[in-house]
């Protein structure tokens, strides 16, 4: 059997995949790298790259892999509409097992967590919106509002709107910079109409989750399943954005900091309170998500900490980037390379046992 790693475009996460490839040789596992558009579902084959000890990644055509590690990052709604149907067909195909099924959009995750007592006080009040009028009503309740796409990633498509006496301040986050301008209500409605035309958005009160130097920051915790199918924490780190920015994502030129060094700014009691809040969320989160959305392999969980030391759950990602963890905890890099391979071995063994049990009972 083969473990297929499904990426969105060649060259994506190259260092990560090379590490997995090298580990696969030592573990005796066949690994195939491919894109959704390379899959020929009618013939049951895929054009991709198989890892070789001597030659590295070698291009060729292979049978569809029995297990798939989905690392496709969709940048736009168009990408999602184009390639998700192929992925869905692969998930439904008999004989193929995904390491994790992935999570739906931010709104569906929010609704699930909001109904659970362990998270209700850690969630920022959120609405799903597709019309400017609902955003304006939300602005009447809050001085500033954060807008982000339901299906967005990497900090793209994020806007902040501040209501002033006579006008509004609109802040847009681009990949490499942030723009800020004062506009009238009429212009704001036109801007919102344009934004909502291509993306369904969620709106939240804009909280002051910044360092004393006015850098937006969050805590990224990476959770993965181990070789026994149990959730473990691989590491945590701090993402810091540019001063005056609105996101901390590395794609928006953010920086990273070791978690323990960052936490030195808090008193011992504050650190203990923050750690308790983080651990309480991490303890319940994976099981709750899997119960509703199906089996998962890894989660990137992002938390904000306000000036009072209160922890807010900002986002949960089932296809998390690993840069923050690698940069702040470089010693875990071999574990990250081996993790999907070891979980693949666990699933393969479980599948074989289940097959034997089914055969015996019939």
């Amino acid at each position: 059997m083969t473990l297929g790693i499904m990426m969105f475009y060649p060259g994506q996460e190259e260092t990560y995949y090379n590490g997995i490839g090298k580990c696969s040789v030592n573990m005796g596992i066949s690994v195939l790298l491919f894109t959704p558009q390379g899959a020929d579902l009618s013939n049951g084959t895929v054009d991709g790259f198989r890892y070789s000890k001597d030659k590295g990644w070698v291009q060729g055509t292979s049978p569809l892999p029995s297990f798939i590690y989905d690392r496709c990052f969709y940048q736009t709604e168009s990408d999602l509409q184009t390639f998700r149907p192929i992925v869905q067909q692969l998930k439904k195909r008999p004989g193929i097992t995904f390491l994790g099924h992935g999570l739906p959009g931010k709104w569906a995750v929010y609704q699930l967590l909001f109904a659970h007592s362990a998270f209700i006080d850690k969630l920022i009040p959120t609405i799903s919106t597709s019309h400017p009028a609902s955003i304006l009503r939300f602005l009447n309740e809050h001085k500033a509002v954060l807008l982000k796409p339901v299906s967005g990633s990497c900090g793209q498509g994020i806007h902040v709107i501040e209501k002033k006496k006579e006008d509004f301040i609109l802040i847009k986050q681009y990949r490499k910079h942030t723009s800020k301008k004062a506009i009238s209500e009429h212009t704001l409605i036109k801007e919102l109409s344009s934004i909502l035309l291509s993306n369904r958005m969620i709106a939240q009160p804009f909280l002051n989750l910044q360092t004393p130097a006015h850098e937006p920051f969050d805590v990224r915790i990476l959770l993965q399943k181990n070789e026994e199918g149990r959730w473990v924490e691989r590491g945590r780190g701090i993402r810091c954005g540019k001063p005056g920015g609105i996101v901390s994502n590395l794609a928006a030129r953010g920086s990273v900091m070791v978690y323990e060094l960052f936490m030195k700014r808090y008193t011992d009691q504050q650190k203990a309170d923050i750690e308790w809040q983080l651990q309480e969320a991490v303890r319940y989160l994976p099981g709750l998500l899997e119960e509703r959305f199906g089996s998962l392999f890894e989660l990137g969980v992002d938390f904000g900490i306000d000036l009072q030391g209160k922890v807010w759950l900002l986002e949960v990602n089932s296809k998390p980037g690993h840069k923050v963890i690698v940069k702040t905890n470089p010693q875990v890099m071999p574990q990250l390379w081996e993790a999907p391979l070891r979980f693949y071995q666990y699933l393969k063994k479980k599948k074989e046992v289940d097959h034997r049990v089914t055969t015996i009972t019939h």
Side-chain angles (χ1 to χ4, degrees):
M1 292 185 179
T2 297
L3 172 63
I5 303 174
M6 187 167 59
M7 59 183 178
F8 188 58
Y9 58 87
Q12 172 191 323
E13 298 188 294
E14 189 173 358
T15 301
Y16 182 47
Y17 299 149
N18 286 341
I20 294 174
K22 291 173 184 176
C23 289
S24 72
V25 172
N26 298 331
M27 298 172 68
I29 298 172
S30 177
V31 172
L32 179 69
L33 199 58
F34 71 101
T35 63
Q37 55 267 45
D40 186 339
L41 301 181
S42 59
N43 292 325
T45 60
V46 61
D47 292 331
F49 299 84
R50 192 174 292 275
Y51 194 83
S52 163
K53 179 180 180 180
D54 300 321
K55 299 179 181 179
W57 296 106
V58 180
Q59 189 170 10
T61 301
S62 305
L64 286 169
S66 305
F67 293 83
I68 294 177
Y69 178 26
D70 184 0
R71 292 293 292 175
C72 288
F73 300 100
Y74 306 110
Q75 300 296 328
T76 66
E77 191 68 27
S78 175
D79 293 338
L80 198 64
Q81 298 300 323
T82 302
F83 299 110
R84 186 162 61 178
I86 302 173
V87 176
Q88 292 302 320
Q89 289 182 64
L90 286 169
K91 287 182 177 180
K92 294 175 182 177
R93 194 178 182 93
I96 292 181
T97 301
F98 275 64
L99 266 58
H101 287 282
L103 295 173
K106 298 178 181 71
W107 178 240
V109 172
Y110 175 85
Q111 288 179 299
L112 171 66
L113 298 181
F114 187 75
H116 196 282
S117 59
F119 296 98
I120 193 167
D121 66 337
K122 294 180 177 63
L123 296 172
I124 301 172
T126 302
I127 62 168
S128 175
T129 178
S130 58
H131 198 277
S134 60
I135 297 173
L136 291 174
R137 286 195 297 269
F138 204 58
L139 271 166
N140 286 330
E141 302 173 32
H142 308 280
K143 292 181 180 179
V145 167
L146 177 78
L147 286 179
K148 53 186 177 181
V150 167
S151 303
S153 63
C154 300
Q156 296 189 74
I158 291 181
H159 303 72
V160 170
I161 307 166
E162 297 180 37
K163 186 176 182 181
K164 300 297 183 181
K165 289 182 179 179
E166 301 293 331
D167 53 16
F168 298 85
I169 303 296
L170 176 63
I171 306 172
K172 292 185 179 182
Q173 178 65 53
Y174 298 95
R175 181 174 282 274
K176 301 299 183 183
H177 71 282
T178 302
S179 71
K180 184 176 182 179
K181 60 181 179 180
I183 57 177
S184 65
E185 181 173 325
H186 176 72
T187 304
L188 175 62
I189 292 173
K190 288 177 63 177
E191 290 267 6
L192 290 175
S193 297
S194 176
I195 293 167
L196 295 168
L197 193 63
S198 55
N199 287 295
R200 185 167 184 83
M201 309 290 282
I202 59 173
Q204 302 171 327
F206 183 56
L207 302 184
N208 184 13
L209 305 176
Q210 298 181 332
T211 68
H214 304 292
E215 302 162 314
F217 80 93
D218 61 30
V219 181
R220 160 60 64 91
I221 296 182
L222 177 64
L223 306 174
Q224 289 182 325
K225 282 183 177 173
N226 64 11
E227 64 276 10
E228 298 175 343
R230 297 177 181 174
W231 287 99
V232 295
E233 180 180 323
R234 295 294 184 195
R236 60 177 69 179
I238 303 293
R239 301 187 299 182
C240 288
K242 294 293 184 182
I246 56 176
V247 298
S248 57
N249 301 70
L250 301 191
R253 294 186 174 181
S255 59
V256 301
M257 187 180 297
V258 174
Y259 176 80
E260 290 76 14
L261 293 178
F262 184 87
M263 294 301 290
K264 286 185 176 181
R265 66 190 65 199
Y266 298 102
T267 66
D268 288 344
Q269 183 59 55
Q270 286 175 322
K271 282 188 283 188
D273 290 343
I274 290 169
E275 182 61 25
W276 183 86
Q277 293 177 72
L278 292 173
Q279 287 299 329
E280 183 187 39
V282 166
R283 182 166 61 250
Y284 292 110
L285 187 61
L288 186 62
L289 293 173
E290 287 192 300
E291 185 179 342
R292 172 67 65 86
F293 302 121
S295 179
L296 300 163
F297 163 57
E298 60 186 341
L299 291 169
V301 192
D302 299 332
F303 296 95
I305 306 173
D306 66 22
L307 298 176
Q308 288 70 45
K310 178 173 173 50
V311 169
W312 298 91
L313 176 57
L314 303 180
E315 198 162 319
V316 187
N317 194 329
S318 56
K319 297 178 187 176
H322 303 138
K323 286 183 181 178
V324 178
I325 307 304
V326 169
K327 287 186 175 183
T328 57
N329 305 268
Q331 71 280 2
V332 307
M333 192 179 296
Q335 294 179 42
L336 296 181
W337 293 341
E338 292 181 2
L341 299 169
R342 295 196 180 280
F343 187 56
Y344 154 77
Q345 288 179 319
Y346 164 80
L347 289 177
K348 180 173 175 285
K349 184 177 180 180
K350 185 175 182 297
K351 194 173 186 179
E352 291 168 351
V353 170
D354 291 345
H355 177 70
R356 286 198 298 269
V357 171
T358 301
T359 303
I360 292 171
T361 54
H362 285 80

